[in-house]
Amino acid sequence: MQNIIFFGDSLTAGYQLRANEAFPALIQQRLDALKLPYKALNYGISGDTTAGGRHRVASVLARQPVDVFVLALGANDGLRGIPVRETTQNLQEIIDQVKLKYPVAKIVLVGLEFPFDLSAFGSHQYGRYAAEFKASFRTLADKNSVAFVPFLLQNVLGVRALNLPDGVHPNAEGHKILVNNVWAVLQTVLV
């Protein structure tokens, strides 16, 4: 069996859902149905930022061999207005640590976008931040030649029926769509 590490925040952890409803568990079901020799391991921690991920990645990498590393962090950075440069540096450091410890591991970077146009709050700087934030993920993926999921919450964000009452976290039905968003890219790196 090869290990797929899903390293993220509440979107990966499956905030307020049962463990078997979060998208990494649903990907495991798909792997099993296709008889693919992979084990999906969910290392999502609600509230985690890229800085938090940078600090905890070494302990995760030390737990078991890593064959595929799915990096899905940054949402909390964006919500907190952390400078895009800082978020990008943290993500780069996580990628560097994975490459150093497991040079042949495949890496998949998961992109994020803001849930709404922030420029409505009275300043174009919010809109500029949202654009820079979104673009930073693709730039980082290209720079590192890693597989890239353009937008984790594609077809889920803003759809009331697919989210918890907070309007931010996908519900069980929403996670079924997250599976498709991630699988479209993940399947291309599985050997």
Side-chain angles (χ1 to χ4, degrees):
M1 291 295 277
Q2 297 187 60
N3 294 321
I4 304 174
I5 303 300
F6 289 90
F7 192 76
D9 50 34
S10 59
L11 300 174
T12 301
Y15 178 74
Q16 290 193 352
L17 301 178
R18 293 190 302 267
N20 65 349
E21 293 174 318
F23 81 85
L26 299 176
I27 284 180
Q28 182 66 62
Q29 291 175 10
R30 190 167 291 186
L31 293 165
D32 293 346
L34 295 170
K35 297 185 178 6
L36 295 172
Y38 290 92
K39 182 172 181 165
L41 300 165
N42 188 339
Y43 284 98
I45 295 183
S46 292
D48 205 8
T49 61
T50 59
R54 187 186 78 230
H55 291 298
R56 73 180 170 100
V57 70
S59 67
V60 170
L61 297 176
R63 290 185 187 155
Q64 68 282 305
V66 176
D67 301 288
V68 179
F69 190 89
V70 180
L71 177 53
L73 277 173
N76 292 307
D77 291 45
L79 292 172
R80 294 173 186 170
I82 292 172
V84 172
R85 179 185 75 260
E86 189 177 321
T87 298
T88 302
Q89 288 169 345
N90 289 332
L91 291 171
Q92 182 64 60
E93 194 167 318
I94 293 167
I95 291 169
D96 291 345
Q97 287 188 52
V98 173
K99 286 182 173 183
L100 183 65
K101 178 115 174 131
Y102 296 101
V104 298
K106 306 277 199 246
I107 298 174
V108 178
L109 180 63
V110 178
L112 294 161
E113 297 177 17
F114 269 97
F116 44 81
D117 180 3
L118 297 171
S119 62
F121 289 100
S123 172
H124 291 298
Q125 80 183 96
Y126 292 125
R128 185 168 52 250
Y129 179 86
E132 288 175 11
F133 182 82
K134 175 183 175 181
S136 69
F137 291 93
R138 181 172 296 281
T139 301
L140 197 58
D142 290 347
K143 173 185 172 190
N144 289 281
S145 300
V146 299
F148 181 58
V149 175
F151 183 32
L152 177 62
L153 298 173
Q154 183 73 41
N155 300 319
V156 175
L157 188 66
V159 180
R160 191 174 302 234
L162 298 175
N163 287 279
L164 295 174
D166 66 12
V168 175
H169 295 95
N171 60 23
E173 289 304 307
H175 272 264
K176 292 175 183 177
I177 296 173
L178 268 53
V179 168
N180 295 331
N181 295 342
V182 174
W183 183 256
V185 175
L186 179 61
Q187 68 180 336
T188 68
V189 305
L190 301 180
V191 181

